[in-house]
Amino acid sequence: MPNKYSIVFMFILSVIMSSCGAEQNVKKGDKFFALGEYYDAANQYKTAYSRTPLNERSLRGKRALKMAGCYRKINFTQRAIAAYLNAIRYKQTDSLTSLNLGMLYLKDGNYKEAEKTFNDILKYNHNNDLAKEGLESAKEAPLKKMSPSSYIIKRTDELNSRRADYSPMFYGEEYNQLYFTSTRNQAQGDELSGITGTKNGDIFFCQKDDKGNWGKIQTIESGLNSVQDEGACSFTPDCHTMYLTKCDNDPQYPRYATICSSNRSDASWGKPTNLEITKDTLSSYAHPAISPDGKWLYFTSDMPGGLGGLDIWRVRLTTNGLGGVENLGSPINTPGDEEFPTFRPNGDLYFSSNGHVGLGGLDIYIARQDTDSNKWKIEHPGYPLNSQGDDFGMTFEGLHNRGYFSSNRGDAHGWDHIYSFEKPEVIQTVKGWVYEKEAYELSSAMVRMVGNDGTNLKLNVKGDGSFTQEIHPNVDYVFLATCKGFLNHKEQLRVAPVKESTEYVLQFPLASITAPVLIDNIFYDFNKATLTSESTKALDELTNLLNENPNITIELRAHCDYRGSSAYNKILSQKRAESVANYLISKGIAKDRLSPVGYGKDRPKIIRKRLTEKYPWLKESDVLSADFISHLDKDKQEICNQINRRTEFIVLRTTYGIFDKYGNFKNLPQAHTLKEDNKQNNKDLF
């Protein structure tokens, strides 16, 4: 039987051993914390806390405080609150304890305790801006939840896993592909992150099927993902470049987020390359977002020069690299954290913050820039888009106020999941297509959009030659499409009020300056030069084209098929070309701008690629000569004869009426202010 002295000795020894073990846990925890590995640090601090004797109240309080800081970082809200309360109970707190606890109460939806906590802070520190914002949030949040907005929110289970899924982003012009970040089991690597306790994030994507349902979640089989942490991506308007956040693991160095770019080639994404925004290597750069015009890269950073915590910054994207870095300043940025910027295509900036009045955690806010003052105005979209949890990472399905976002609302692990959102609203849009007559889209075109409400925009078209733009009721719009090497084309649109969302479609077929342009739907009486009534529409369109391009002269070309004598066809085609010219002259087109020529059957049609889609048995550059046609079936022969019987025009000059008889400009351009130029542009287009 052991005596009482040996029992005391064993007890003292066990206390000493436990104390030594706890100190080792704290040292390990401190090392993990310094590296930003908060999950591993929390486990070490928890073990140290449990090994600390109850009578060592001061030490238990300090270790509880360390544990609370880690749990707060990894969104273990309930555990963080309990740890902070223990630190307070043991009277071991720092200057931020009460503020962090109040923020956690907000995030937990415990608004009464949050209000009490912030009131206590303000009794001793009247100028604490974050406490003021927190107190206002605690008071207003219950009222906002009682008066929800019209947003419809649904958890998108087909996109989510048993781990974290967040930062969705549409890709492509049809909005049928969705990229997002996930720590699911399919992510690369086998090790668990010391930050979250899950696998490092990878970027995944999925695609809608013909019925509009999301298909299987797919990994990206290229050098884009790695065993490191990748996520929160954004795409340039042309969809050729992806910007993403990347965090590298280094067991001896803190983990700082960096922004990388990846180029798309042969339908796959290349290995990311680091983007050096500044020379600062001790700050984080994350959450890239490209502005709708593709000229700015917005991002989140804690670099010096901000307003506190994480701020939203931007840097100009140029053909020569990155321009200067700008902080968006107040009222967007606050002493709290502003993160996850993203854009609705109409130019509205969406971001998440815990420094503005909200419902708790990160709330989504909308920033709109006033065109006159250039100042930002901030709007809180309310509940249920926002919740007491973290809400962030919006992506929009075109101009409509619907899409996807991420939130950790209601998740005990603090893991994020993807939700759909829609705010029913009436949106009127115009979709235009700019293309070459008889050919394909003109991706280098530009469209000038002018409205009698003061609208004056330059719209760049996408790779398929299209553009989409929001328009407003009771406004008259004029759209002028231009492209180097082509004539201008103008369309007008009067927008009336509607009761449901409506899209108007406009076509902009541009005529080449260098190649013959077919005048569709020109018809003559059989074996005569008399124009039929069915030709009026096409000829009126040609009249408009000449009026829109008053400095051009054209040659009107009439052609016949190979049947009949050359002399007869020459005479007939000449008369037909003159009939077209006479019609245009009757509509006010100057005679000296028109040169009618009949070519008879001397110039058979040369097939262009677009026509081969309608007639697959024809090939590009085929010449519809008599010999070529004679080897075809009878029905194909008739089609070719119809193609050859055509009326075209080709531009001869683009300087008509510009010079006087001495070769000088008739009207020299005058210097105007920008305001005067805008007025003149409106006048010219209308």
Side-chain angles (χ1 to χ4, degrees):
M1 294 289 292
N3 59 36
K4 61 179 181 179
Y5 298 106
S6 63
I7 293 174
V8 171
F9 174 77
M10 292 296 293
F11 174 75
I12 294 173
L13 181 64
S14 66
V15 170
I16 293 172
M17 293 291 291
S18 178
S19 178
C20 291
E23 286 296 334
Q24 289 299 315
N25 292 129
V26 170
K27 288 181 180 179
K28 288 181 180 179
D30 289 344
K31 181 179 179 180
F32 286 134
F33 190 91
L35 294 173
E37 297 179 348
Y38 305 115
Y39 181 86
D40 286 348
N43 285 337
Q44 293 296 327
Y45 293 142
K46 180 182 178 182
T47 302
Y49 179 82
S50 65
R51 288 180 170 182
T52 305
L54 293 174
N55 61 342
E56 295 190 34
R57 297 177 61 83
S58 175
L59 205 54
R60 284 177 68 84
K62 290 177 181 179
R63 290 168 182 174
L65 189 61
K66 287 176 177 286
M67 191 167 37
C70 293
Y71 285 144
R72 182 176 64 85
K73 291 280 190 180
I74 60 177
N75 289 323
F76 282 19
T77 303
Q78 293 283 352
R79 294 187 188 183
I81 291 173
Y84 275 123
L85 290 176
N86 279 334
I88 293 171
R89 179 161 60 95
Y90 292 127
K91 295 181 171 50
Q92 294 296 319
T93 63
D94 58 23
S95 60
L96 293 177
T97 298
S98 294
L99 184 63
N100 288 333
L101 181 59
M103 293 295 187
L104 287 166
Y105 279 137
L106 284 178
K107 198 168 186 177
D108 197 42
N110 191 342
Y111 299 122
K112 287 185 178 181
E113 286 297 328
E115 183 177 349
K116 179 182 176 182
T117 303
F118 291 125
N119 271 323
D120 289 342
I121 295 172
L122 293 171
K123 286 179 183 178
Y124 303 100
N125 186 353
H126 303 290
N127 298 319
N128 191 316
D129 291 334
L130 285 176
K132 290 179 181 178
E133 296 287 346
L135 178 60
E136 191 173 349
S137 296
K139 291 179 177 179
E140 290 190 7
L143 301 176
K144 288 182 177 180
K145 285 190 172 183
M146 290 173 62
S147 301
S149 67
S150 58
Y151 279 95
I152 301 170
I153 308 299
K154 296 179 181 178
R155 179 163 159 162
T156 315
D157 289 333
E158 61 266 33
L159 300 176
N160 292 311
S161 66
R162 298 178 63 184
R163 295 294 184 266
D165 304 280
Y166 59 95
S167 290
M169 183 59 59
F170 276 115
Y171 173 79
E173 295 166 352
E174 301 300 321
Y175 305 100
N176 60 356
Q177 290 189 46
L178 193 73
Y179 284 68
F180 61 94
T181 310
S182 179
T183 62
R184 62 186 61 204
N185 292 334
Q186 289 75 22
Q188 294 188 25
D190 297 321
E191 295 185 5
L192 300 182
S193 167
I195 298 178
T196 63
T198 64
K199 297 184 74 171
N200 285 327
D202 273 358
I203 297 175
F204 294 79
F205 80 99
C206 60
Q207 188 159 343
K208 284 185 177 179
D209 58 24
D210 295 338
K211 296 181 179 179
N213 299 317
W214 290 114
K216 182 181 178 182
I217 307 300
Q218 301 181 54
T219 57
I220 299 177
E221 302 298 336
S222 69
L224 181 71
N225 291 312
S226 69
V227 295
Q228 312 296 341
D229 212 347
E230 292 90 15
C233 63
S234 178
F235 304 100
T236 53
D238 62 9
C239 296
H240 292 162
T241 303
M242 174 197 295
Y243 290 89
L244 64 148
T245 307
K246 187 177 180 69
C247 293
D248 290 328
N249 287 330
D250 188 334
Q252 303 300 323
Y253 201 73
R255 287 166 53 113
Y256 293 107
T258 59
I259 293 177
C260 301
S261 64
S262 170
N263 294 322
R264 189 172 177 86
S265 177
D266 297 327
S268 64
W269 294 104
K271 185 177 180 179
T273 57
N274 283 351
L275 198 67
E276 187 180 82
I277 296 176
T278 71
K279 299 292 185 181
D280 180 2
T281 60
L282 297 178
S283 299
S284 289
Y285 304 86
H287 311 157
I290 306 298
S291 61
D293 60 9
K295 295 180 179 179
W296 293 94
L297 170 66
Y298 287 67
F299 60 96
T300 299
S301 179
D302 59 357
M303 74 172 87
L307 301 189
L310 296 169
D311 275 12
I312 295 177
W313 304 68
R314 71 175 186 174
V315 61
R316 186 178 288 277
L317 299 172
T318 72
T319 54
N320 298 320
L322 299 180
V325 176
E326 300 177 10
N327 186 290
L328 294 195
S330 177
I332 289 178
N333 291 320
T334 70
D337 293 329
E338 281 70 47
E339 308 178 63
F340 297 97
T342 190
F343 281 93
R344 189 175 172 183
N346 66 2
D348 292 347
L349 171 64
Y350 285 67
F351 67 97
S352 293
S353 171
N354 60 14
H356 291 276
V357 176
L359 300 181
L362 290 172
D363 270 20
I364 294 168
Y365 297 85
I366 309 170
R368 297 185 177 93
Q369 203 162 17
D370 185 81
T371 53
D372 295 327
S373 65
N374 219 31
K375 294 181 179 179
W376 293 99
K377 296 181 179 179
I378 309 299
E379 175 189 337
H380 185 275
Y383 176 84
L385 182 65
N386 286 309
S387 67
Q388 70 267 22
D390 290 328
D391 306 293
F392 62 96
M394 306 278 286
T395 187
F396 292 86
E397 187 180 336
L399 290 170
H400 298 283
N401 201 348
R402 62 174 181 253
Y404 297 88
F405 74 108
S406 37
S407 176
N408 62 8
R409 62 185 68 186
D411 189 279
H413 298 284
W415 291 337
D416 307 305
H417 302 288
I418 296 174
Y419 290 77
S420 68
F421 73 90
E422 180 174 7
K423 184 179 182 182
E425 60 183 13
V426 175
I427 297 179
Q428 292 177 273
T429 58
V430 58
K431 184 161 190 175
W433 301 88
V434 187
Y435 55 93
E436 180 184 359
K437 286 189 174 183
E438 292 190 88
Y440 293 96
E441 61 275 355
L442 294 171
S443 59
S444 59
M446 189 272 290
V447 177
R448 185 72 169 272
M449 172 182 169
V450 174
N452 61 0
D453 63 342
T455 300
N456 194 335
L457 301 175
K458 291 182 179 179
L459 309 176
N460 294 316
V461 302
K462 300 177 183 178
D464 63 352
S466 72
F467 68 89
T468 304
Q469 180 64 36
E470 185 175 1
I471 51 180
H472 303 286
N474 299 317
V475 179
D476 294 321
Y477 291 100
V478 173
F479 300 85
L480 183 67
T482 62
C483 188
K484 187 176 181 180
F486 295 87
L487 300 179
N488 298 338
H489 183 89
K490 183 169 69 175
E491 290 289 338
Q492 299 184 34
L493 181 64
R494 167 69 180 176
V495 184
V498 294
K499 294 183 179 180
E500 58 183 27
S501 295
T502 304
E503 182 175 79
Y504 304 86
V505 177
L506 298 178
Q507 304 284 342
F508 296 87
L510 301 192
S512 172
I513 292 177
T514 58
V517 180
L518 177 69
I519 308 173
D520 280 323
N521 300 318
I522 296 292
F523 305 103
Y524 307 91
D525 288 337
F526 180 70
N527 259 357
K528 295 181 181 180
T530 308
L531 290 164
T532 66
S533 58
E534 289 88 349
S535 304
T536 302
K537 182 179 178 182
L539 291 173
D540 288 343
E541 289 176 354
L542 180 56
T543 302
N544 292 336
L545 179 67
L546 292 167
N547 286 328
E548 292 166 7
N549 299 270
N551 301 122
I552 67 168
T553 63
I554 63 172
E555 179 180 279
L556 289 163
R557 299 177 170 184
H559 303 269
C560 299
D561 59 39
Y562 70 90
R563 293 172 294 189
S565 68
S566 294
Y568 176 79
N569 281 331
K570 269 274 179 70
I571 294 171
L572 178 61
S573 60
Q574 180 64 37
K575 289 181 178 180
R576 287 180 170 179
E578 290 171 355
S579 293
V580 174
N582 290 334
Y583 183 91
L584 298 175
I585 293 169
S586 72
K587 295 295 182 178
I589 303 300
K591 184 177 180 179
D592 59 349
R593 295 180 64 191
L594 309 172
S595 299
V597 179
Y599 286 96
K601 60 180 180 180
D602 293 347
R603 296 192 179 185
K605 177 75 173 179
I606 300 175
I607 299 300
R608 299 185 68 179
K609 187 176 180 180
R610 187 67 178 269
L611 204 56
T612 64
E613 295 177 3
K614 185 176 181 181
Y615 305 111
W617 43 274
L618 290 174
K619 296 179 181 178
E620 187 177 8
S621 300
D622 279 348
V623 180
L624 302 188
S625 62
D627 182 63
F628 178 89
I629 295 174
S630 65
H631 289 83
L632 300 174
D633 299 336
K634 284 189 176 182
D635 56 341
K636 294 179 181 178
Q637 289 184 15
E638 182 52 35
I639 291 172
C640 289
N641 287 330
Q642 289 175 3
I643 294 172
N644 270 334
R645 295 193 298 269
R646 68 196 189 278
T647 304
E648 301 172 329
F649 73 86
I650 190 169
V651 176
L652 299 177
R653 292 168 52 205
T654 59
T655 57
Y656 176 83
I658 293 180
F659 304 104
D660 61 21
K661 63 181 179 180
Y662 303 108
N664 300 317
F665 280 107
K666 287 184 177 180
N667 297 300
L668 288 173
Q670 301 295 318
H672 297 288
T673 65
L674 179 61
K675 190 172 183 180
E676 289 171 339
D677 286 339
N678 285 340
K679 286 183 178 179
Q680 186 61 42
N681 287 332
N682 278 272
K683 181 179 177 182
D684 292 344
L685 285 177
F686 278 105

